[in-house]
């Protein structure tokens, strides 16, 4: 994986600076633009540096809004809603949505079905699409699960069809895909450095203006409302970091907590012993989508299976897992870029 290499390059760059006598802030006059956007049910912050930073962030905002309208399943006229409402009929969908459905299917295959966009009717039954939360009965879940599975999704040359009873929800991948698109737009505008936060999906480009890495905190799932309630801090350059956690969206009933990441095998909120999963990869285009799909999937898998999946090496990424029993499990590729937080109350384990 590229982390060691990135660190090495960074060190080399710093050493180079030392030789030529530069240091500290590279360009005190470097332009910067930062905007907040509320979209995709979350708060976003887009920050870019460089000459075209203003153009870059506003173009990115437009793209975020376009994708929100295209991929949402709660706005009635999105392609996804049309597909879900078609009652088994063929629907014309654009290349982009077709491509995303196809990509989602590849992750379903690769993750043993733990990531599955056809989980939509089950997510709805729990009330997560309408905010009128409820615990569905077993019989309801059993019936809904019959329609879950990518074999119920049919794509053919610009059209798509879902079997009756099947619906799709791109919520587990949409923000990651959006992060990829923002990365592309920033690249087109020659943005040398920047940071993009799409809820729990983070993209950092280059390093900070002072030449150090971007510091990205992993939220403590037990203290989601405290800005400094973190379990660790990561030093990242040119990277995606995506977190899925049971604290991000949930309701409580009879003293039990029900969150929004559903295990397609049971139709219930994944009860895997994890409270959050953060997936990191370098900022190669496509990795935003990958990190998002995998953060959801690995949350469902739980610690052991998630680490086996990481060790399989099928995808190039690193992991921070936070467990219910207060451990933070970190894959070895992150070791040099990872800071423990003494007061967090967690113990730290490094795995290879
Ligand atoms: P967030 O939306 O908080 O960033 P995730 O990326 O983990 O978190 O996505 C969770 C969303 O994905 C849920 O709100 C739901 O719409 C959908 N979802 C839930 N369970 C799954 C699953 N097993 N596979 C794919 N999508 C899922
Ligand atoms: Mg996800």
């Amino acid at each position: 994986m590229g982390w060691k290499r990135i660190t090495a390059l960074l060190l080399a760059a710093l050493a180079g600076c030392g030789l030529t006598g530069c240091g500290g802030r590279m360009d005190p006059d470097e332009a910067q633009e930062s905007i907040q956007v509320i979209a995709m049910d979350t708060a976003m912050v887009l920050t870019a540096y460089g000459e075209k930073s203003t153009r870059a962030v506003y173009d990115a905002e437009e793209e975020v809004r376009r994708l929100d309208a295209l991929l949402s399943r709660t706005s009635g006229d999105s392609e996804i809603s049309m597909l879900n409402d078609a009652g088994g009929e063929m629907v014309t969908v654009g290349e982009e949505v077709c491509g995303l459905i196809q990509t989602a299917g590849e992750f379903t295959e690769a993750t043993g079905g733990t990531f599955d966009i056809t989980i939509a009717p089950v997510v709805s039954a729990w009330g997560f699409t309408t905010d009128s939360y409820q615990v569905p009965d077993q019989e309801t879940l059993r019936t809904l699960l019959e329609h879950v599975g990518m074999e119920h999704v049919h794509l053919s040359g610009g059209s798509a069809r879902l079997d009756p009873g099947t619906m799709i929800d791109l919520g587990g991948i949409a923000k990651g895909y959006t992060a990829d698109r923002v990365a592309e737009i920033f690249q087109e505008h020659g943005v040398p450095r920047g940071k993009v936060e799409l809820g729990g999906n983070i993209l950092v480009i280059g390093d900070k203006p002072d030449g150090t890495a971007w510091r990205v905190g992993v939220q403590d799932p037990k203290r989601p409302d405290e800005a400094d309630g973190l379990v660790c801090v990561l030093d990242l350059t040119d990277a995606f970091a995506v977190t899925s956690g049971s604290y991000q969206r949930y309701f409580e009933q009879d003293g039990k907590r029900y969150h929004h990441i559903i295990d397609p095998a049971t139709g219930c909120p994944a009860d895997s012993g994890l409270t959050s999963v953060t997936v990191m990869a370098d900022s190669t285009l496509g990795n935003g989508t990958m990190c998002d799909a995998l953060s959801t999937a690995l949350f469902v898998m739980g610690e052991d299976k998630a680490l086996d999946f990481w060790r399989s090496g099928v995808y190039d990424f690193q992991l921070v897992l936070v467990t219910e029993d207060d451990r933070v499990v970190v894959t070895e590729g992150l070791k040099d870029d990872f800071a423990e937080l003494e007061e967090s109350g967690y113990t730290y384990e490094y795995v290879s």
Side-chain angles (χ1 to χ4, degrees), residues 106-297:
E106 287 161 16
F107 284 111
T108 305
E109 182 104 19
T111 61
T114 50
F115 181 84
D116 195 329
I117 57 172
T118 64
I119 199 67
V122 180
V123 174
S124 293
W126 287 90
F128 285 112
T129 28
T130 52
D131 290 349
S132 53
Y133 303 121
Q134 56 182 329
V135 179
D137 59 60
Q138 282 303 318
E139 181 55 26
T140 304
L141 287 178
R142 211 183 48 75
T143 311
L144 292 176
L145 283 175
E146 285 170 13
H147 306 286
V148 171
M150 286 303 285
E151 68 276 16
H152 299 293
V153 179
H154 312 279
L155 294 174
S156 65
S159 300
R161 186 174 71 75
L162 306 176
D163 289 339
T166 296
M167 294 198 288
I168 59 170
D169 177 352
L170 295 179
I173 205 174
K175 278 177 268 171
Y177 176 71
T178 304
D180 276 322
R181 286 291 305 132
V182 172
E184 210 168 334
I185 288 166
F186 277 19
Q187 216 170 62
E188 284 162 13
H189 289 297
V191 169
R193 66 190 90 255
K195 185 178 189 184
V196 174
E197 302 176 61
L198 313 176
N201 289 235
I202 290 172
L203 159 69
V204 296
I205 294 159
D207 47 16
K208 282 190 298 189
D210 68 3
T212 62
W214 293 99
R215 311 211 78 198
V216 176
V218 174
Q219 190 75 44
D220 180 351
K222 289 192 290 191
R223 296 179 293 161
D225 301 324
E226 296 171 34
D228 56 354
L230 305 176
V231 297
C232 65
V233 179
L234 298 153
D235 284 338
L236 301 178
T237 45
D238 292 313
F240 290 102
V242 176
T243 301
S244 285
S246 50
Y247 60 92
Q248 285 163 331
R249 203 182 178 118
Y250 64 89
F251 66 97
E252 271 162 8
Q253 191 173 305
D254 302 325
K256 200 168 153 33
R257 180 182 286 203
Y258 300 95
H259 62 78
H260 72 314
I261 303 171
I262 306 294
D263 183 348
T266 63
C268 293
D271 187 13
S272 65
L274 297 175
T275 51
S276 85
V277 172
T278 301
V279 178
M280 277 130 304
D282 62 42
S283 60
T284 311
L285 288 182
N287 275 354
T289 308
M290 172 191 80
C291 288
D292 201 0
L294 293 186
S295 70
T296 307

